[in-house]
Amino acid sequence: MFTPKIPPPDTAPAPGTSLVPPLTGLVHPPACTCHHTPTAPTAPAPVSVAPPSRPAVQLTPGSLVVAAAGGTAMVLVIGTVLVSMLLAVAITAASVAICVVVLRSLLNNQKGN
């Protein structure tokens, strides 16, 4: 089942031959029909370095305060969400543990009677 299926030798292509026939008889039209003589290539013009298209970011003291306040607020919000999720898991685990203790005591009281 997992062995490769090799075609019989009489139908397998000979090594070094392609299954795709070569393209023959295709003639592309010339790029232009102006019949000019080609000239010698000229040296390319020097490329000038363009100045940057956008100005550099300049932080003012006010923007630094805003960035610091925004970062602090984001850390506090994310921390609050994570702590509340941890607290919800802890409360759920404690309530499940209490239910287990109560059920176990009820089952043990039933066996004793």
Side-chain angles (χ1 to χ4, degrees), residues 62-76:
S63 64
L64 284 176
V65 170
V66 169
T72 304
M74 198 163 63
V75 166
L76 289 176

Side-chain angles (χ1 to χ4, degrees), residues 2-113:
F2 293 109
T3 59
K5 306 286 190 279
I6 300 174
D10 59 342
T11 60
T17 60
S18 173
L19 296 176
V20 179
L23 297 174
T24 57
L26 294 178
V27 178
H28 294 285
C32 67
T33 57
C34 54
H35 304 295
H36 58 60
T37 58
T39 59
T42 58
V47 178
S48 63
V49 178
S53 61
R54 56 185 172 155
V57 175
Q58 295 179 355
L59 295 176
T60 62
S63 64
L64 284 176
V65 170
V66 169
T72 304
M74 198 163 63
V75 166
L76 289 176
V77 168
I78 291 173
T80 304
V81 169
L82 291 178
V83 167
S84 64
M85 288 170 54
L86 180 64
L87 186 60
V89 169
I91 291 172
T92 304
S95 64
V96 167
I98 291 171
C99 289
V100 166
V101 169
V102 169
L103 284 175
R104 194 168 84 179
S105 68
L106 287 174
L107 291 175
N108 284 341
N109 285 341
Q110 263 186 346
K111 289 180 184 176
N113 290 339

